[in-house]
Amino acid sequence: MKIAIVHDWLTNMGGAEQCIINLHKCFPEAPIYTAFYDPENMDPIFKEMNIITSSLQKKKGKKYNHKKYLPFMPKAFEEFNLNEYDVVITSSSCCAKGVITGPHTLNICYCYTPMRYAWEMRDEYTEGMSNLKTKLIRYFMNYMRLWDYQASQRVDEFIAISTEVKKRIKKHYRRDSKVIFPPVRTETFLPSKEEEDYYFVVSRLVKYKRYDLAVEACSKLHKKLIVIGDGPERENLEKLADKEYVKFMGRQPDEVVKEHLSKCRALIFPGEEDFGIVPVEAECCGKPVIAFGRGGLLDTVIDKKTGLFFKEQTVDSLIEAIKEFETLKFNKEEIRAHGEKFSEENYRKQIIDFVNEKYKEHMEEV
């Protein structure tokens, strides 16, 4: 069985790129096709892989701003010649799923989400733009929606990263999918014997993640909050914060993050995510998660057992959740055991089993 892996772009490390590392461990002979590749920003392990870039790569300068090339990505992925492969696994939240394969090739898409800026988050992406720019982008996104739906019909089998994404695939693409959760490096996040009196946030500080709720809630409650991470919202968040209780540490090395995560009272996670890896990392540290009860976290957090949900994305709702949290008791060992279910080993086993099963079915039909 000859396999190829196709990924949207390899320009920065994130959860999707950890999936690629694990997919490559499943199928080490598989080349990786992608729109752009910036080795300087990627884990050194990628230098050991056979990475094949699109026609857009040579158009790039030193800055890998893939977003500006979105109009050209559909054509770039359609240009890849994948006729020699038995199985093509596309890893996609954008255009990778649009590769063209022959009837003998099984096309499996590991889908992080249907293209958000073309579907349900269109208005959020154009917020604050001029009327002219908004109109132009919305006109272009009409085309992208049509192409994205057409591309989804080229896929033989969909895998969704969460129940939330499974629903979106059904809604936008009218396709069924199997849920296989992304891999989490569970073995590198361990409980600490120490616990300190602070709540914790670690993330890129962007508006849609709603960390303003955590900052305001802890400021009003006079609860200590430590924030690790940086981003365009940091300045606004610092203005909201009571500096006596909220501490911004900026970006920190992994070891500093792990230390603070393992010693906090709880992780606060007020955004709505497709999956959310950080809450699972917190659980692996034996730490409960106070989270907005929507999206991917409904798969990873068990209410009042490994964390606590608040129902409305408001400061008052989060304040009530923190107050309730402090009346509850949580079992560190049970939380850790739940987090371990999302390990890289479990991910790889499920992927290999799924590919083998679906390839067998595919060959019987061809």
Side-chain angles (χ1 to χ4, degrees):
M1 183 167 41
K2 195 170 183 180
I3 298 176
I5 298 168
V6 185
H7 186 57
D8 289 323
W9 47 75
L10 294 168
T11 57
N12 284 287
M13 286 302 299
E17 288 65 40
Q18 289 296 333
C19 286
I20 293 297
I21 290 173
N22 279 273
L23 281 174
H24 194 262
K25 287 180 180 178
C26 293
F27 311 107
E29 301 301 317
I32 298 171
Y33 291 78
T34 189
F36 310 115
Y37 173 46
D38 182 358
E40 292 182 6
N41 287 343
M42 301 304 294
D43 189 295
I45 196 171
F46 281 91
K47 294 179 181 178
E48 302 171 13
M49 303 177 191
N50 178 16
I51 296 176
I52 301 167
T53 56
S54 75
S55 57
L56 295 177
Q57 177 82 10
K58 61 186 177 184
K59 298 178 187 296
K60 300 296 293 178
K62 292 184 178 180
K63 297 292 183 182
Y64 282 76
N65 182 11
H66 53 265
K67 295 177 182 178
K68 64 188 284 190
Y69 285 90
L70 180 60
F72 308 103
M73 284 190 193
K75 182 176 181 292
F77 280 101
E78 289 175 345
E79 287 173 347
F80 284 131
N81 184 347
L82 302 170
N83 290 333
E84 63 181 290
Y85 299 103
D86 301 305
V87 179
V88 171
I89 302 172
T90 59
S91 162
S92 184
S93 62
C94 189
C95 297
K97 70 178 145 317
V99 293
I100 297 173
T101 59
H104 72 283
T105 302
L106 176 65
N107 182 342
I108 298 173
C109 178
Y110 190 75
C111 184
Y112 304 100
T113 181
M115 198 183 297
R116 281 174 292 208
Y117 27 85
W119 297 95
E120 71 276 357
M121 289 189 73
R122 179 197 65 178
D123 293 332
E124 284 86 342
Y125 276 89
T126 57
E127 186 179 346
M129 294 182 181
S130 67
N131 288 336
L132 177 60
K133 195 170 185 180
T134 296
K135 287 179 181 178
L136 289 172
I137 290 175
R138 288 184 176 180
Y139 181 81
F140 169 67
M141 285 306 170
N142 286 334
Y143 158 75
M144 287 304 297
R145 268 194 302 280
L146 292 171
W147 180 88
D148 195 46
Y149 177 80
Q150 181 189 59
S152 74
Q153 305 309 299
R154 301 172 189 170
V155 176
D156 296 304
E157 301 288 343
F158 270 102
I159 303 173
I161 67 167
S162 66
T163 304
E164 174 68 20
V165 171
K166 179 184 176 74
K167 292 176 183 176
R168 291 184 209 160
I169 291 171
K170 186 68 173 178
K171 174 73 174 178
H172 300 317
Y173 299 155
R174 300 293 191 262
R175 300 292 303 277
D176 292 323
S177 57
K178 177 181 175 61
V179 175
I180 297 179
F181 300 121
V184 180
R185 294 171 295 169
T186 57
E187 73 285 353
T188 68
F189 290 85
L190 302 171
S192 172
K193 294 180 180 179
E194 302 176 45
E195 182 174 299
E196 298 181 14
D197 186 22
Y198 63 87
Y199 292 99
F200 187 56
V201 160
V202 55
S203 175
R204 184 165 179 262
L205 303 180
V206 292
K207 193 171 184 178
Y208 83 91
K209 291 182 179 286
R210 297 307 311 271
Y211 285 113
D212 56 304
L213 303 182
V215 169
E216 287 195 63
C218 288
S219 294
K220 289 182 177 181
L221 287 171
H222 294 174
K223 301 291 182 182
K224 187 175 179 182
L225 174 69
I226 292 180
V227 179
I228 288 183
D230 212 339
E233 276 297 292
R234 179 172 175 176
E235 184 177 346
N236 292 333
L237 293 174
E238 288 182 335
K239 290 176 182 177
L240 292 174
D242 184 328
K243 293 179 175 55
E244 184 178 349
Y245 299 99
V246 182
K247 179 181 179 183
F248 291 85
M249 295 180 63
R251 291 184 180 181
Q252 295 293 328
D254 286 350
E255 292 308 311
V256 175
V257 172
K258 291 174 187 176
E259 180 184 2
H260 282 80
L261 192 54
S262 67
K263 292 181 179 179
C264 68
R265 294 186 70 173
L267 176 78
I268 298 181
F269 201 85
E272 181 179 350
E273 293 285 352
D274 303 327
F275 176 71
I277 287 177
V278 173
V280 178
E281 293 171 343
E283 290 176 328
C284 290
C285 293
K287 294 301 175 180
V289 182
I290 302 173
F292 179 46
R294 283 182 62 179
L297 270 76
L298 296 176
D299 288 324
T300 59
V301 176
I302 303 173
D303 195 32
K304 294 186 172 67
K305 185 173 181 181
T306 70
L308 185 66
F309 290 131
F310 59 99
K311 296 180 181 179
E312 298 177 8
Q313 216 171 22
T314 64
V315 174
D316 288 341
S317 186
L318 177 53
I319 285 174
E320 291 307 309
I322 293 172
K323 287 179 179 178
E324 183 181 0
F325 170 81
E326 295 188 350
T327 68
L328 302 174
K329 291 185 178 180
F330 292 87
N331 185 300
K332 183 183 292 188
E333 287 72 27
E334 285 185 5
I335 296 174
R336 165 74 185 173
H338 178 67
E340 287 179 317
K341 295 177 182 178
F342 302 90
S343 69
E344 292 178 308
E345 183 180 353
N346 284 345
Y347 170 82
R348 292 195 294 266
K349 182 181 185 306
Q350 290 181 76
I351 288 289
I352 291 171
D353 289 347
F354 184 85
V355 170
N356 288 336
E357 175 191 346
K358 294 304 178 182
Y359 182 65
K360 182 180 178 181
E361 292 175 5
H362 180 73
M363 292 306 295
E364 290 172 354
E365 295 174 357
V366 174

